[in-house]
Amino acid sequence: MELKASGLQIIGESPAETYPLQKKAHSFEFLREIAHLRPRTNTFGAVARMRSQMAFAMHSFFNERSFQYVHTPIITASDCEGAGEMFQVTTLDIDSLAKSGKPADYSKDFFGKKSYLSVSGQLNVETYCMALGKVYTFGPTFRAENSNTPRHLAEFWMIEPEIAFAELPEDMALAEDFIKYLLSWALDTCGEDLAFFDKRVQPGLIATLEAVRSSVFAHMTYTDAVKELEKHADDFEFKPYWGCDLQTEHERYLTEIVMKGPVIVTDYPKELKAFYMRRNDDGKTVSAMDVLVPRIGEIIGGSAREYRLDILEAAMAEKGLETAPYWWYLDLRRYGSAPHAGFGLGFERLMRYVTGMENIRDVIPFPRAPKQAEF
RNA sequence: UCCCCUGUAGCUCAGCUGGCAGAGCAAGUGGCUGUUAACCACUGGGUCCGUGGUUCAAAUCCGCGCGGGGGAGCCA
């Protein structure tokens, strides 16, 4: 395009001597340090557009299937979610408390007890699942883990659907449909931005997304997965055996070498998974699933939920959990319990998958990570 | 939190077994040009991350701290 201007007015100056962005490629590491200016670059503009589209696609998927969007709380007053270290929320004056040398009196805290930022909306959304049938949450989630990797954030957005009268097979089918729907949406509505990522960020991206869209996800039980890994034990630093937690190297091997595409691993040993997962009849495993995809690894974790009160209480006892704080969660099993299942999908992990961006800090506008809360 | 790599001009980096701080791009000035990440010439630009140490002498070697990247763990 060419313009024949009749006049030119400078509305806001941008002195070239000090403006950090130059007419050349900058490293993502550098751009992270100027997160307030990076949306002006072609890459981060494309990321922002695709992030918006993916959020819309997610709502569209659930809306088409008559799911209800439930807003679960961000602040939680019970330390009972068990999905990692939590950020404490308080209005107590930490400085004067430290000077006084006295222990904190949480009855004087805002909520009258210790409170935290939520690490998951799942327990809360299960209550609406038992009322409305098909529900999902989408909101910010907080984990105070000191993890410094290209795939973890301290503040991230998570999508958690929960479906009633469903067991693991329905859950797996939902997860697969969901991923494919999102990839289709990206391919159909974000063509220009995808072409950019394919050319400049992740060559072969579009071909990969197209292949996954029309593929059938492989299924594999944990037990079969371990058998497969044991055949190639020499390739691993950590030798696989039944009962071991699958290491990153194992997961990558399964999805990238064995299956060469997405794979859903199911039925993990009960010792490896959370208390609320449905106990299988073998007495050793639970109805859990992890969806693994090449390059990203685990993108979804989910399970059927234990809906039988006595078995759920026994599982909590095995894991040394007190039942009292979970009284309302257990009420769901006391009053009209039904099989149900759900999963969690990290929105930024989806964004990494769909854009080809390597570092999760580059697919969220203002990343929060250990020692990182500028902007 | 553990392991490895790394921190030098606005950006990307070179700088060897210690001996005067460098390049490309960017910026400024001038020139040239229907240019597509334009071209030519000149000019300016540095707390070599911080701190302690070794040494006649440290960007360079050693200790500690902080930041960045990769891997692991935790997980989504």
XYZ file of all heavy atoms in Angstrom, chain A residues 116-202:
702
model
N -6.200 -18.326 51.365
C -5.217 -18.492 50.298
C -5.819 -18.126 48.940
O -7.032 -18.011 48.794
C -4.745 -19.952 50.237
C -4.276 -20.502 51.546
C -5.176 -21.072 52.441
C -2.932 -20.439 51.897
C -4.756 -21.574 53.659
C -2.501 -20.936 53.106
C -3.415 -21.509 53.987
O -2.979 -21.987 55.189
N -4.943 -17.989 47.948
C -5.412 -17.900 46.568
C -5.633 -19.321 46.053
O -4.826 -20.213 46.319
C -4.381 -17.177 45.694
C -4.156 -15.701 46.016
C -3.081 -15.124 45.092
C -5.444 -14.910 45.882
N -6.670 -19.497 45.305
C -7.060 -20.834 44.875
C -6.038 -21.463 43.915
O -5.507 -20.802 43.034
C -8.411 -20.771 44.175
O -8.746 -22.045 43.678
N -5.799 -22.760 44.101
C -4.939 -23.493 43.178
C -5.758 -24.297 42.172
O -5.210 -24.920 41.272
C -3.970 -24.448 43.908
C -2.996 -23.656 44.756
C -4.726 -25.456 44.752
N -7.079 -24.283 42.341
C -7.951 -25.018 41.434
C -9.402 -24.711 41.769
O -9.747 -24.531 42.932
C -7.712 -26.529 41.565
O -8.778 -27.242 40.973
N -10.246 -24.636 40.750
C -11.661 -24.403 40.992
C -12.449 -25.695 41.038
O -13.677 -25.685 41.177
N -11.744 -26.815 40.921
C -12.425 -28.091 40.716
C -13.391 -28.477 41.833
O -14.538 -28.839 41.571
C -11.397 -29.203 40.536
C -12.051 -30.554 40.263
C -11.166 -31.697 40.663
O -9.986 -31.694 40.336
N -11.714 -32.667 41.366
N -12.928 -28.424 43.083
C -13.783 -28.866 44.184
C -15.063 -28.036 44.237
O -16.146 -28.556 44.488
C -13.015 -28.791 45.517
C -12.298 -30.083 45.952
C -11.555 -30.740 44.814
C -11.368 -29.816 47.114
N -14.916 -26.747 43.987
C -16.092 -25.882 43.995
C -17.005 -26.150 42.803
O -18.224 -26.137 42.940
C -15.671 -24.404 43.987
C -15.145 -23.972 45.342
O -15.911 -23.760 46.274
N -13.846 -23.861 45.462
N -16.409 -26.375 41.649
C -17.245 -26.535 40.466
C -17.984 -27.868 40.500
O -19.031 -28.017 39.890
C -16.424 -26.368 39.166
C -15.814 -27.680 38.696
C -17.305 -25.769 38.061
N -17.464 -28.833 41.239
C -18.175 -30.108 41.379
C -19.556 -29.887 42.008
O -20.517 -30.608 41.691
C -17.370 -31.094 42.232
C -16.261 -31.796 41.462
C -15.611 -32.918 42.273
O -16.349 -33.730 42.865
O -14.365 -32.961 42.334
N -19.654 -28.887 42.880
C -20.955 -28.644 43.521
C -21.989 -28.209 42.485
O -23.143 -28.617 42.550
C -20.847 -27.550 44.608
O -20.538 -26.290 43.994
C -19.773 -27.897 45.629
N -21.559 -27.417 41.519
C -22.494 -26.978 40.471
C -22.727 -28.078 39.445
O -23.778 -28.116 38.805
C -21.999 -25.677 39.828
C -22.484 -24.489 40.617
C -21.924 -24.202 41.864
C -23.551 -23.716 40.182
C -22.404 -23.165 42.634
C -24.039 -22.674 40.941
C -23.467 -22.400 42.173
O -23.955 -21.386 42.937
N -21.744 -28.955 39.292
C -21.926 -30.102 38.402
C -23.055 -30.987 38.923
O -23.893 -31.474 38.156
C -20.631 -30.903 38.329
S -20.737 -32.361 37.287
N -23.101 -31.151 40.251
C -24.141 -31.999 40.850
C -25.507 -31.312 40.846
O -26.505 -31.896 41.249
C -23.734 -32.370 42.283
C -22.578 -33.365 42.364
S -22.965 -35.006 41.661
C -22.399 -34.823 39.990
N -25.537 -30.053 40.413
C -26.815 -29.341 40.318
C -27.232 -29.128 38.868
O -28.395 -29.286 38.514
C -26.713 -27.990 41.020
N -26.249 -28.774 38.013
C -26.570 -28.362 36.643
C -26.168 -29.371 35.577
O -26.541 -29.220 34.417
C -25.896 -27.017 36.339
C -26.255 -25.869 37.290
C -25.475 -24.621 36.915
C -27.743 -25.583 37.282
N -25.379 -30.344 35.947
C -25.035 -31.401 34.991
C -23.721 -31.204 34.269
O -22.770 -31.927 34.488
N -23.685 -30.204 33.382
C -22.454 -29.962 32.623
C -21.992 -28.525 32.894
O -22.713 -27.573 32.578
C -22.682 -30.160 31.126
C -22.993 -31.610 30.763
C -22.864 -31.855 29.271
C -24.066 -31.324 28.512
N -24.043 -31.719 27.081
N -20.821 -28.381 33.461
C -20.340 -27.053 33.859
C -18.848 -26.913 33.530
O -18.169 -27.907 33.232
C -20.526 -26.825 35.381
C -21.999 -26.855 35.753
C -19.758 -27.872 36.184
N -18.374 -25.683 33.570
C -16.930 -25.476 33.445
C -16.551 -24.171 34.128
O -17.402 -23.288 34.307
C -16.494 -25.446 31.971
C -16.949 -24.240 31.181
C -16.052 -23.214 30.853
C -18.265 -24.121 30.736
C -16.458 -22.116 30.104
C -18.680 -23.022 30.000
C -17.777 -22.025 29.685
O -18.173 -20.932 28.955
N -15.322 -24.078 34.520
C -14.795 -22.826 35.054
C -13.645 -22.377 34.170
O -12.988 -23.185 33.521
C -14.264 -22.943 36.490
O -12.909 -23.379 36.438
C -15.066 -23.919 37.293
N -13.426 -21.085 34.157
C -12.267 -20.543 33.458
C -11.842 -19.307 34.242
O -12.606 -18.347 34.350
C -12.619 -20.150 32.024
C -11.492 -19.499 31.260
C -10.258 -20.122 31.169
C -11.668 -18.268 30.648
C -9.216 -19.529 30.465
C -10.620 -17.672 29.942
C -9.398 -18.310 29.852
N -10.670 -19.364 34.816
C -10.245 -18.231 35.617
C -8.796 -18.360 36.028
O -8.145 -19.363 35.736
N -8.279 -17.337 36.720
C -6.886 -17.371 37.141
C -6.672 -18.348 38.292
O -7.563 -18.566 39.097
C -6.619 -15.936 37.592
C -7.950 -15.401 37.970
C -8.950 -16.087 37.088
N -5.522 -18.927 38.300
C -5.151 -19.942 39.276
C -3.755 -19.598 39.770
O -2.944 -19.070 39.011
C -5.151 -21.321 38.595
O -6.416 -21.521 37.972
C -4.891 -22.433 39.570
N -3.487 -19.891 41.036
C -2.230 -19.417 41.629
C -1.476 -20.555 42.301
O -2.034 -21.275 43.120
C -2.538 -18.322 42.651
C -3.373 -17.210 42.075
C -4.760 -17.282 42.098
C -2.778 -16.113 41.481
C -5.542 -16.267 41.547
C -3.548 -15.096 40.928
C -4.931 -15.175 40.967
N -0.214 -20.682 41.977
C 0.604 -21.714 42.632
C 1.927 -21.094 43.053
O 2.647 -20.519 42.229
C 0.848 -22.889 41.691
C -0.472 -23.447 41.165
C -0.648 -24.919 41.306
N -2.022 -25.282 40.950
C -2.349 -26.269 40.125
N -1.406 -27.004 39.577
N -3.601 -26.548 39.876
N 2.235 -21.211 44.318
C 3.444 -20.585 44.878
C 4.647 -21.516 44.817
O 5.565 -21.389 45.614
C 3.175 -20.141 46.314
N 4.638 -22.447 43.885
C 5.788 -23.334 43.714
C 6.989 -22.535 43.226
O 6.847 -21.634 42.409
C 5.471 -24.407 42.654
C 4.270 -25.267 42.944
C 4.516 -26.258 44.055
O 5.684 -26.395 44.465
O 3.544 -26.870 44.519
N 8.150 -22.883 43.707
C 9.355 -22.229 43.221
C 9.838 -22.945 41.962
O 10.922 -23.508 41.918
C 10.438 -22.249 44.297
C 11.614 -21.398 43.913
O 11.548 -20.632 42.950
N 12.706 -21.522 44.637
N 8.977 -22.917 40.957
C 9.338 -23.632 39.729
C 9.658 -22.627 38.632
O 8.899 -21.714 38.376
C 8.211 -24.566 39.295
O 6.994 -23.879 39.185
N 10.805 -22.832 38.036
C 11.315 -21.895 37.044
C 11.560 -22.628 35.744
O 12.663 -23.098 35.482
C 12.625 -21.290 37.572
C 12.785 -19.881 37.081
O 12.675 -19.631 35.879
N 13.027 -18.957 37.994
N 10.506 -22.771 34.947
C 10.605 -23.544 33.717
C 9.818 -22.834 32.617
O 9.018 -21.955 32.899
C 10.010 -24.958 33.880
O 8.588 -24.871 33.748
C 10.353 -25.555 35.224
N 10.037 -23.214 31.372
C 9.284 -22.606 30.267
C 7.826 -23.058 30.219
O 7.109 -22.690 29.299
C 10.026 -23.078 29.019
C 11.244 -23.752 29.488
C 11.027 -24.149 30.896
N 7.387 -23.887 31.179
C 6.003 -24.370 31.132
C 5.241 -24.164 32.442
O 4.169 -24.731 32.624
C 5.979 -25.847 30.720
C 6.795 -26.746 31.609
C 6.885 -28.178 31.073
N 7.592 -29.015 32.025
C 8.917 -29.052 32.129
N 9.664 -28.326 31.340
N 9.489 -29.823 33.029
N 5.788 -23.365 33.361
C 5.085 -23.085 34.617
C 4.976 -21.591 34.870
O 5.911 -20.836 34.608
C 5.822 -23.722 35.799
C 5.760 -25.206 35.828
N 6.675 -25.983 35.166
C 4.894 -26.055 36.413
C 6.368 -27.263 35.362
N 5.290 -27.326 36.113
N 3.838 -21.190 35.422
C 3.653 -19.816 35.873
C 3.103 -19.850 37.288
O 2.467 -20.820 37.688
C 2.647 -19.092 34.967
C 3.097 -18.734 33.552
C 1.905 -18.328 32.713
C 4.134 -17.623 33.607
N 3.333 -18.771 38.035
C 2.757 -18.679 39.374
C 1.298 -18.250 39.283
O 0.497 -18.551 40.162
C 3.558 -17.696 40.221
N 0.959 -17.536 38.227
C -0.428 -17.125 37.967
C -0.764 -17.535 36.547
O -0.121 -17.056 35.607
C -0.558 -15.611 38.135
C -1.930 -15.068 37.799
C -1.980 -13.545 37.908
O -1.851 -13.021 39.015
O -2.099 -12.878 36.876
N -1.711 -18.434 36.408
C -2.080 -18.879 35.065
C -3.596 -19.087 34.998
O -4.271 -19.032 36.015
C -1.349 -20.172 34.693
C -1.679 -21.353 35.564
C -2.590 -22.317 35.140
C -1.066 -21.515 36.789
C -2.891 -23.416 35.942
C -1.367 -22.611 37.597
C -2.273 -23.560 37.172
N -4.096 -19.263 33.795
C -5.536 -19.420 33.599
C -5.842 -20.871 33.277
O -5.174 -21.487 32.448
C -6.021 -18.495 32.480
C -6.014 -17.069 32.907
C -4.917 -16.328 33.244
C -7.148 -16.216 33.099
N -5.307 -15.065 33.623
C -6.669 -14.966 33.533
C -8.527 -16.384 32.926
C -7.523 -13.901 33.815
C -9.367 -15.327 33.192
C -8.858 -14.089 33.643
N -6.849 -21.392 33.959
C -7.142 -22.810 33.791
C -8.610 -22.999 33.428
O -9.483 -22.315 33.932
C -6.798 -23.578 35.073
C -6.944 -25.082 34.924
S -5.860 -26.009 36.027
C -6.497 -25.501 37.619
N -8.833 -23.959 32.528
C -10.173 -24.347 32.102
C -10.482 -25.692 32.753
O -9.699 -26.633 32.600
C -10.236 -24.500 30.566
C -9.840 -23.192 29.894
C -11.610 -24.983 30.142
C -9.319 -23.376 28.494
N -11.580 -25.749 33.490
C -11.915 -26.993 34.180
C -13.378 -27.369 33.964
O -14.255 -26.888 34.667
C -11.631 -26.860 35.688
C -10.160 -26.680 36.010
C -9.940 -26.383 37.479
O -10.266 -25.272 37.940
O -9.440 -27.273 38.183
N -13.650 -28.230 32.976
C -15.011 -28.733 32.812
C -15.281 -29.893 33.775
O -14.356 -30.578 34.210
C -15.037 -29.215 31.359
C -13.623 -29.549 31.046
C -12.742 -28.712 31.928
N -16.557 -30.075 34.083
C -16.961 -31.175 34.965
C -18.319 -31.673 34.451
O -19.233 -30.868 34.247
C -17.066 -30.668 36.404
C -17.173 -31.751 37.460
C -15.842 -32.440 37.761
O -14.784 -31.812 37.563
O -15.868 -33.606 38.171
N -18.425 -32.976 34.206
C -19.659 -33.513 33.620
C -20.244 -34.607 34.513
O -19.529 -35.475 35.008
C -19.411 -34.075 32.196
C -18.149 -34.949 32.151
C -19.281 -32.935 31.198
C -17.882 -35.579 30.792
N -21.567 -34.523 34.709
C -22.256 -35.488 35.568
C -22.645 -36.737 34.785
O -22.755 -36.702 33.560
C -23.506 -34.846 36.168
N -22.870 -37.815 35.515
C -23.224 -39.114 34.923
C -22.197 -39.516 33.869
O -22.538 -39.957 32.782
C -24.639 -39.075 34.325
C -25.673 -38.636 35.332
C -26.271 -37.387 35.242
C -26.008 -39.459 36.399
C -27.196 -36.969 36.181
C -26.933 -39.048 37.350
C -27.530 -37.807 37.246
N -20.945 -39.318 34.208
C -19.876 -39.627 33.262
C -18.733 -40.316 33.994
O -18.476 -40.045 35.175
C -19.364 -38.346 32.605
N -18.083 -41.215 33.281
C -16.893 -41.857 33.805
C -15.722 -41.486 32.907
O -15.844 -40.628 32.027
C -17.098 -43.387 33.840
C -18.295 -43.828 34.671
C -17.953 -44.145 36.123
O -16.847 -43.760 36.579
O -18.784 -44.765 36.799
N -14.597 -42.165 33.084
C -13.392 -41.758 32.371
C -13.522 -41.751 30.846
O -13.034 -40.815 30.208
C -12.208 -42.634 32.803
C -10.829 -42.057 32.465
C -10.611 -40.712 33.136
C -9.722 -43.024 32.847
N -14.171 -42.749 30.223
C -14.245 -42.719 28.750
C -14.905 -41.449 28.212
O -14.438 -40.876 27.223
C -15.095 -43.957 28.425
C -14.845 -44.895 29.561
C -14.709 -44.013 30.769
N -15.977 -40.992 28.864
C -16.629 -39.759 28.425
C -15.701 -38.560 28.630
O -15.670 -37.617 27.826
C -17.934 -39.532 29.194
C -19.037 -40.529 28.883
C -19.028 -41.753 29.788
O -17.921 -42.149 30.252
O -20.108 -42.316 30.040
N -14.976 -38.607 29.725
C -14.037 -37.530 30.038
C -12.937 -37.443 28.965
O -12.591 -36.367 28.478
C -13.410 -37.799 31.415
C -12.868 -36.534 32.070
O -13.438 -35.450 31.833
O -11.882 -36.630 32.820
N -12.434 -38.613 28.585
C -11.383 -38.664 27.561
C -11.906 -38.159 26.224
O -11.226 -37.397 25.519
C -10.868 -40.106 27.408
C -10.154 -40.624 28.642
S -10.042 -42.434 28.666
C -8.906 -42.732 27.335
N -13.128 -38.559 25.889
C -13.712 -38.131 24.620
C -13.906 -36.620 24.606
O -13.648 -35.950 23.593
C -15.050 -38.842 24.398
N -14.333 -36.073 25.753
C -14.532 -34.635 25.852
C -13.210 -33.896 25.655
O -13.136 -32.904 24.917
C -15.141 -34.274 27.210
C -15.427 -32.794 27.434
C -16.590 -32.324 26.548
C -15.754 -32.515 28.909
N -12.168 -34.401 26.304
C -10.850 -33.753 26.211
C -10.362 -33.746 24.761
O -9.854 -32.736 24.266
C -9.849 -34.471 27.117
N -10.547 -34.880 24.086
C -10.083 -34.979 22.699
C -10.884 -34.048 21.785
O -10.305 -33.324 20.964
C -10.199 -36.430 22.213
C -9.710 -36.620 20.788
C -9.594 -38.092 20.387
O -9.559 -38.962 21.287
O -9.532 -38.358 19.178
N -12.210 -34.057 21.947
C -13.046 -33.152 21.151
C -12.641 -31.702 21.388
O -12.590 -30.894 20.455
C -14.529 -33.316 21.534
C -15.121 -34.599 20.968
O -14.456 -35.233 20.126
O -16.237 -34.962 21.387
N -12.388 -31.393 22.638
C -12.074 -30.024 23.030
C -10.783 -29.549 22.357
O -10.740 -28.485 21.722
C -11.937 -29.974 24.558
C -11.788 -28.589 25.121
C -12.516 -27.523 24.619
C -10.915 -28.349 26.178
C -12.389 -26.252 25.161
C -10.778 -27.080 26.712
C -11.509 -26.028 26.199
N -9.746 -30.347 22.455
C -8.465 -29.984 21.842
C -8.638 -29.785 20.337
O -8.181 -28.786 19.765
C -7.400 -31.080 22.092
C -7.083 -31.188 23.577
C -6.140 -30.802 21.280
C -6.173 -30.127 24.116
N -9.327 -30.718 19.699
C -9.490 -30.635 18.242
C -10.316 -29.413 17.835
O -10.038 -28.771 16.827
C -10.156 -31.917 17.719
C -9.248 -33.133 17.773
C -9.995 -34.347 17.285
C -9.117 -35.568 17.286
N -9.920 -36.770 16.953
N -11.336 -29.124 18.652
C -12.175 -27.962 18.363
C -11.333 -26.686 18.413
O -11.421 -25.818 17.536
C -13.310 -27.894 19.390
C -14.328 -26.792 19.159
C -15.511 -27.041 18.472
C -14.106 -25.508 19.655
C -16.455 -26.038 18.270
C -15.049 -24.493 19.455
C -16.216 -24.773 18.766
O -17.144 -23.781 18.574
N -10.491 -26.601 19.437
C -9.662 -25.400 19.605
C -8.657 -25.265 18.462
O -8.425 -24.169 17.946
C -8.945 -25.445 20.954
C -9.866 -25.359 22.187
C -9.100 -25.715 23.451
C -10.496 -23.974 22.306
N -8.067 -26.396 18.053
C -7.099 -26.345 16.955
C -7.798 -25.955 15.649
O -7.260 -25.186 14.850
C -6.394 -27.695 16.786
C -5.565 -28.186 17.976
C -4.696 -29.371 17.560
C -4.706 -27.085 18.551
N -9.013 -26.502 15.443
C -9.767 -26.150 14.239
C -10.070 -24.664 14.213
O -9.950 -24.010 13.184
C -11.086 -26.927 14.196
O -10.839 -28.245 13.778
N -10.470 -24.156 15.375
C -10.790 -22.724 15.466
C -9.566 -21.899 15.100
O -9.645 -20.922 14.342
C -11.270 -22.387 16.874
C -11.873 -21.029 16.989
C -11.200 -19.827 16.944
C -13.241 -20.699 17.147
N -12.070 -18.787 17.085
C -13.341 -19.294 17.203
C -14.413 -21.463 17.261
C -14.558 -18.628 17.375
C -15.619 -20.796 17.435
C -15.694 -19.395 17.478
N -8.443 -22.299 15.624
C -7.204 -21.568 15.332
C -6.910 -21.602 13.836
O -6.630 -20.577 13.217
C -6.037 -22.177 16.118
N -7.028 -22.793 13.244
C -6.720 -22.935 11.821
C -7.703 -22.165 10.954
O -7.333 -21.593 9.929
C -6.738 -24.426 11.441
C -5.550 -25.248 11.948
C -5.848 -26.740 11.885
C -4.286 -24.931 11.153
N -8.960 -22.138 11.387
C -9.995 -21.522 10.550
C -10.090 -20.008 10.705
O -10.532 -19.325 9.794
C -11.370 -22.144 10.868
C -11.418 -23.620 10.492
O -10.537 -24.055 9.714
O -12.295 -24.340 10.995
N -9.736 -19.489 11.876
C -9.956 -18.054 12.104
C -8.679 -17.258 12.342
O -8.732 -16.031 12.392
C -10.889 -17.815 13.310
O -10.208 -18.207 14.492
C -12.186 -18.585 13.172
N -7.545 -17.936 12.526
C -6.313 -17.207 12.825
C -5.257 -17.471 11.763
O -4.054 -17.540 12.069
C -5.778 -17.613 14.198
S -6.966 -17.471 15.534
N -5.696 -17.632 10.516
C -4.792 -18.049 9.457
C -3.562 -17.168 9.302
O -2.444 -17.662 9.194
N -3.780 -15.856 9.321
C -2.666 -14.950 9.099
C -1.633 -15.034 10.220
O -0.431 -15.066 9.971
C -3.199 -13.506 9.025
C -2.942 -12.820 7.704
C -3.502 -11.400 7.703
O -2.767 -10.493 8.104
O -4.668 -11.212 7.313
N -2.144 -15.056 11.455
C -1.232 -15.125 12.592
C -0.520 -16.479 12.628
O 0.674 -16.564 12.931
C -1.990 -14.872 13.898
C -2.392 -13.401 14.025
O -1.629 -12.543 13.541
O -3.455 -13.115 14.601
N -1.254 -17.546 12.309
C -0.630 -18.868 12.281
C 0.459 -18.931 11.210
O 1.509 -19.518 11.419
C -1.681 -19.946 12.006
C -2.424 -20.509 13.226
C -3.378 -21.600 12.783
C -1.450 -21.031 14.263
N 0.174 -18.308 10.069
C 1.173 -18.297 8.997
C 2.447 -17.599 9.479
O 3.569 -18.016 9.175
C 0.612 -17.591 7.769
N 2.259 -16.551 10.259
C 3.408 -15.843 10.819
C 4.205 -16.747 11.766
O 5.430 -16.861 11.651
C 2.926 -14.586 11.570
C 4.006 -13.898 12.338
C 4.874 -13.025 11.720
C 4.170 -14.146 13.700
C 5.888 -12.392 12.428
C 5.178 -13.518 14.413
C 6.033 -12.639 13.775
N 3.500 -17.415 12.676
C 4.196 -18.306 13.620
C 4.891 -19.440 12.879
O 5.991 -19.852 13.231
C 3.205 -18.884 14.639
C 2.728 -17.881 15.648
C 1.387 -17.595 15.792
C 3.637 -17.216 16.460
C 0.953 -16.664 16.730
C 3.218 -16.278 17.392
C 1.872 -16.009 17.531
N 4.216 -19.949 11.837
C 4.773 -21.052 11.072
C 6.064 -20.627 10.372
O 7.017 -21.400 10.261
C 3.742 -21.527 10.039
C 4.102 -22.870 9.432
O 3.703 -23.903 10.001
O 4.798 -22.876 8.399
N 6.098 -19.394 9.925
C 7.248 -18.913 9.175
C 8.386 -18.469 10.085
O 9.559 -18.745 9.833
C 6.804 -17.728 8.298
C 7.874 -17.241 7.350
C 7.342 -16.106 6.472
C 8.479 -15.470 5.673
N 8.140 -14.104 5.250
N 8.048 -17.783 11.172
C 9.083 -17.128 11.969
C 9.381 -17.779 13.311
O 10.426 -17.507 13.900
C 8.677 -15.660 12.223
C 8.365 -14.888 10.955
C 9.613 -14.509 10.178
N 10.317 -13.406 10.804
C 10.054 -12.127 10.554
N 9.131 -11.818 9.694
N 10.727 -11.186 11.170
N 8.448 -18.545 13.853
C 8.616 -19.036 15.217
C 8.775 -20.553 15.277
O 9.672 -21.061 15.948
C 7.430 -18.603 16.112
C 7.525 -19.221 17.501
C 7.390 -17.070 16.225
N 7.899 -21.277 14.586
C 7.881 -22.740 14.708
C 7.548 -23.342 13.345
O 6.382 -23.641 13.061
C 6.827 -23.133 15.753
C 6.771 -24.596 16.111
C 7.851 -25.038 17.067
O 8.619 -25.933 16.763
N 7.927 -24.405 18.229
